[in-house]
Structures are given as structure tokens and as C-alpha cells.
Amino acid sequence: MSESERQVGIASIKLSDDEIDAAVAVMRSGALRQGKECESFENEFAAKVGARHAVCNSSGTAALHLAYMTFLEPGDEVLVPSFTFIATATSVVAAGGKPIFCDVDPKSFLLDLKDAESRITEKTRAISPVHLYGNACNIEAVQALAKKHDLKIVWDSAQAHGATWREADVGSFGDFVCYSFYPSKNMFVGEGGMVCTDDPAMDEQLRLLRAHGDTGRYMHTRFGLNYRMTDVEAAIGRKQLSRLDQMISVRRRNAGILNEKMADIAGITIPAANDSVSHAWHQYCVLVDKERYGLDRDQLIEALSARGVSSGVHYPRGLHQQPVFIDRYGEQSLPVTESHGRSVLALPVHHGMSEQDALYVADAVRSCAA
Ligand SMILES: Cc1ncc(COP(=O)(O)O)c(C=O)c1O
């Protein structure tokens, strides 16, 4: 392929042949609903991340909602980063709580714990740090804050399959670790989610709430919903899980190339991770400084597109800037979130890329500078 023909997309969402075969085998069997495949997927996922329990369900949003349904009371407050996907906060609202939007650290893009602590009130019940882009939060610092203020932790791990903190998988740290298997994610099934927990009582609650709070024969003891996964999705998930390490290692290689080749481009800030983190590179996000680079973020998107490179913006505005939340909670100012919303850019890093693709992306960013 000549370099002028190269196209590098932003995500790799192709299923492998054995994933397709596994899904088809379930479809042929006729046993589509939650069953043996889901059970095996849960057991294998729990073993992989080092959690005692894993409860599969219908989406990352459902996973978060289920976690909150186990303990949140009406009016309880939950500290969430504003710089994240909307489900981090809508799941709190769906369970009757109020998300309290906090700013993020300018370098890591992760929840700023000082800012979060300053927003704690007598109503604060939980904290939901997001391992954004696959970059793990400082687990010990979050746990210390939660312990000090008696908060539950609902880790939003939707983007962090395969990320580790001090060599332990982020899925191994309770109270709740919530995953998404949406197609853009590091591993996916279509639509799906998982909650990991170390608490057998919570495991039991999550299973109950996932299926209408039904304890058998139409006896509904708790308010629940239908948040089940199907065996078709679980069969795909099991296969994806078996190649997760390999997919993450390609992402890590690609991120290494991007880091090395772009570190000296004036006006492009490459992503930073704590030394204790093994980043899972769901996204590779840079900051674009128009004064030094010559183009602003949106102009760079256009210039890259002309060179066959797709890019994305995660996220153009914080949750506190979303009309749905301004209507409910009023205006608020969070400077880092707002500034990053204007300058953040996700470049391709996914496991479908070759080394040449990664080099091409880095060269394209260098050559677009004005
Ligand atoms: C940080 C974060 N939280 C929650 C979710 C919700 O996951 P799902 O789309 O599977 O409902 C996502 C997915 O995009 C996400 O990125």
C-alpha cells in the first residue's frame, strides 16, 4: 500500500472468525437467553481480573445502575468526574441519587481528588472514579479518601479492560467495578456490561436486581429491571476475553510508537500515566495548543482526515455543561474540564493497527503542524 492510500480508522470493531462461530453455535442451539455461556463468561472474567464475583448484564450503563441500586437512597450524592461519558452520571440519577460534578487533573484527565473532597457534604454516599481512556486512577488515594469519609466506591471501568495498578488488575479492587462491552471498547460483545465485586452479599443483590428482583415463581422482593445479557453476547465475550492480553499488547505497542514519535512536537501534549499504572489504551488522547502547534483541535481533525487518519473528541464538553444537567442542577464552572473539552483529541491506537499505521499517524500529526 502506498502511503497516500493509507486509511487509519479510530476503532477496531471486527469480530474474529471464532467469535462469529461461537455466536452462531449459540444461535443454532436455540438457547439465546442468559444461560450457561453467561455463567462461564462471568467465571472467566472474574478469574481474569482477580475479582471474587462478576455479574454480567446488558450494558455498561446497566452495570453502573445495578451497582447504585444495591445501596443508594433517594437524594444521596455521588462524586463523579465531569470529564467522562454521560452514563457515569445518568446511572446515579436513575438510582435516585445526585451526581456531584468534580474537575479532573490536567495531566492525567482523571478525577481530581482534592476537588472531589472539597465537595463532600453529609449527603455524600459514594465516589465514582473513572479509569478514563484505560488509564487507572490512583487506587490507594481513592480508597483512603473513601475510608476517611465512609464512601462506597463505584469504579467506572467501562474503558479499562486490562488496565492495572501496581500490577493488579483494576477489576480486583472492590466495592464495585463496572465494565462496558460496547463495540468501541477494548473488548466487546455488542451491547453488554459486567459488575465485579468481592462482596458475596452484593453479588447476590446484583443478580436479583438484574432480573426484576424475582426470587422465583413471580415473587418480586426488590425493585429490579431486566438487565440480563444473552448467551450470544456472552459467547462472543468469552472469545474476546481469551485474546484480551494480545489486543492490549498491540495497543501498548502502538501507544509506545505514538509517544516516542510525537514527544517533541511543539503544541502537542502526549498522554501521561502514573508509574504504577499499566495503561490499557482504550483511547490515546493528546491536547492541542493552537498557539504553539499552529492549528486548533478542530482544524487538526480536518487536516488529519485529509491524510486518511480518523480522530475523535472524547469529550467536547463536561457533564456539568450538558443541557440535561444544567436544567436540573444549574450552571457550574470546572476550568480543567472546560479547557480540555476544547483541546483534547483522540488519535487511533487500536489493536487493528499495524506498526506502520501508528508511525503514519505520528507522521501525519507532525506534518499537519502549521
Ligand atoms: C466511562 C464510561 N462509562 C459508562 C459507559 C456506558 O457503557 P455502555 O455504553 O455499555 O452503556 C461508557 C461507554 O461508552 C463509558 O465510556
Side-chain angles (χ1 to χ4, degrees):
M1 180 199 317
S2 82
E3 287 304 86
S4 62
E5 290 166 351
R6 194 175 289 274
Q7 299 280 326
V8 190
I10 192 70
S12 178
I13 53 170
K14 287 219 177 83
L15 290 174
S16 65
D17 286 344
D18 66 333
E19 286 158 6
I20 293 168
D21 290 346
V24 169
V26 174
M27 285 190 264
R28 286 197 200 287
S29 78
L32 304 184
R33 65 188 175 138
Q34 181 190 294
K36 284 201 166 60
E37 290 292 330
C38 284
E39 199 182 319
S40 300
F41 186 31
E42 291 177 337
N43 292 337
E44 288 159 14
F45 197 87
K48 173 79 186 154
V49 304
R52 278 177 75 188
H53 306 281
V55 180
C56 69
N57 47 71
S58 53
S59 70
T61 309
L64 289 162
H65 189 200
L66 281 169
Y68 289 121
M69 282 166 80
T70 63
F71 72 89
L72 213 63
E73 305 278 345
D76 281 351
E77 296 181 353
V78 180
L79 302 165
V80 302
S82 180
F83 196 69
T84 178
F85 182 64
I86 194 153
T88 307
T90 47
S91 52
V92 174
V93 180
K98 180 179 180 192
I100 302 297
F101 300 118
C102 308
D103 217 341
V104 291
D105 173 78
K107 287 205 174 114
S108 68
F109 299 50
L110 303 174
L111 182 63
D112 176 340
L113 292 182
K114 278 212 178 87
D115 186 60
E117 187 166 22
S118 74
R119 296 175 195 278
I120 291 178
T121 70
E122 72 283 358
K123 291 189 187 155
T124 313
R125 194 73 202 285
I127 183 166
S128 184
V130 180
H131 299 305
L132 197 74
Y133 307 149
N135 184 15
C137 299
N138 182 327
I139 302 270
E140 285 130 38
V142 173
Q143 286 176 333
L145 183 71
K147 195 166 176 208
K148 183 171 162 197
H149 297 280
D150 192 22
L151 307 177
K152 288 237 185 271
I153 309 175
V154 178
W155 301 100
D156 185 335
S157 204
Q159 305 186 356
H161 323 70
T164 66
W165 169 259
R166 295 198 202 286
E167 285 165 32
D169 194 291
V170 293
S172 64
F173 301 97
D175 305 329
F176 301 94
V177 191
C178 301
Y179 291 89
S180 161
F181 302 118
Y182 182 73
S184 63
K185 300 295 191 272
N186 285 6
M187 62 171 282
F188 57 87
V189 305
E191 295 282 4
M194 190 78 82
V195 188
C196 293
T197 178
D198 280 347
D199 183 342
M202 286 304 113
D203 176 57
E204 201 180 307
Q205 291 290 315
L206 292 163
R207 291 176 192 284
L208 194 63
L209 299 174
R210 172 179 68 177
H212 301 293
D214 189 347
T215 44
R217 296 175 186 243
Y218 295 108
M219 179 61 77
H220 304 278
T221 53
R222 287 280 307 272
F223 175 81
L225 294 161
N226 174 6
Y227 278 161
R228 292 184 296 259
M229 184 180 271
T230 70
D231 262 16
V232 178
E233 289 152 338
I236 297 171
R238 294 180 66 194
K239 295 286 180 196
Q240 284 259 311
L241 187 63
S242 70
R243 63 185 187 113
L244 179 64
D245 288 348
Q246 185 257 327
M247 294 191 289
I248 301 280
S249 75
V250 175
R251 286 174 182 269
R252 288 189 176 131
R253 180 206 64 199
N254 293 341
I257 293 172
L258 295 173
N259 277 341
E260 189 194 325
K261 298 290 175 192
M262 300 200 307
D264 64 343
I265 304 180
I268 297 292
T269 307
I270 59 170
N274 187 307
D275 285 346
S276 304
V277 172
S278 196
H279 202 307
W281 298 109
H282 166 57
Q283 299 288 356
Y284 182 96
C285 288
V286 298
L287 294 172
V288 185
D289 174 353
K290 183 182 179 188
E291 299 309 311
R292 297 177 59 225
Y293 183 71
L295 303 181
D296 68 19
R297 189 265 316 276
D298 295 339
Q299 291 168 322
L300 176 54
I301 292 174
E302 292 297 315
L304 287 173
S305 171
R307 287 163 169 78
V309 175
S310 302
S311 55
V313 178
H314 313 292
Y315 299 88
R317 60 191 66 79
L319 298 188
H320 71 286
Q321 298 172 287
Q322 292 289 355
V324 59
F325 290 130
I326 295 174
D327 285 351
R328 277 174 178 256
Y329 310 126
E331 305 263 354
Q332 186 187 349
S333 164
L334 295 171
V336 179
T337 296
E338 287 161 30
S339 156
H340 280 12
R342 291 186 293 271
S343 57
V344 72
L345 184 66
L347 299 170
V349 72
H350 59 82
H351 56 266
M353 288 164 61
S354 64
E355 280 179 57
Q356 285 67 34
D357 289 334
L359 287 166
Y360 182 76
V361 171
D363 280 351
V365 173
R366 186 178 295 281
S367 68
C368 289

